[in-house]
Amino acid sequence: KIDYMFSDCDILTRIDLTHFNSVIVTDTRGLFSGCSSLREINLSNFNTNNVTNMSYMFNRCSSLKEINLSNFNTNNVTNMSFMLGGCF
């Protein structure tokens, strides 16, 4: 469970988690919520096979311009509410 790990890090502008071991992660709720300066996220190697909750994951990331979710597996996700809420 890594929910709200980077929540409200409003000075964070970019993050690359390509080498982050997320194999056992089940909850990414609010992971980047409130990161209002975040412009770029690379999650291409982020393992989401066991994730069930992605709600509010990027909520209020109003500066987000580039996001790489190319290998996201959402087969087990049951909650994606407000995942990108307030981003546009």
Side-chain angles (χ1 to χ4, degrees):
K1 189 172 180 178
I2 58 171
D3 60 328
Y4 299 99
M5 187 176 201
F6 300 102
S7 180
D8 294 318
C9 289
D10 55 358
I11 61 169
L12 188 65
T13 59
R14 69 180 297 272
I15 191 163
D16 184 343
L17 297 176
T18 54
H19 299 291
F20 186 81
N21 185 350
S22 55
V23 172
I24 61 170
V25 173
T26 59
D27 191 343
T28 59
R29 171 186 17 193
L31 185 61
F32 301 103
S33 181
C35 295
S36 57
S37 298
L38 190 58
R39 294 187 314 258
E40 181 182 332
I41 305 173
N42 184 350
L43 297 172
S44 60
N45 291 330
F46 201 80
N47 185 325
T48 57
N49 292 339
N50 296 312
V51 176
T52 58
N53 190 346
M54 290 185 176
S55 64
Y56 297 90
M57 191 170 177
F58 306 103
N59 188 51
R60 297 179 298 131
C61 291
S62 54
S63 298
L64 197 56
K65 301 292 181 212
E66 186 176 329
I67 185 168
N68 187 339
L69 306 175
S70 58
N71 292 314
F72 257 38
N73 177 349
T74 58
N75 288 336
N76 292 317
V77 177
T78 57
N79 189 350
M80 284 185 166
S81 60
F82 300 100
M83 184 175 173
L84 294 164
C87 290
F88 307 102

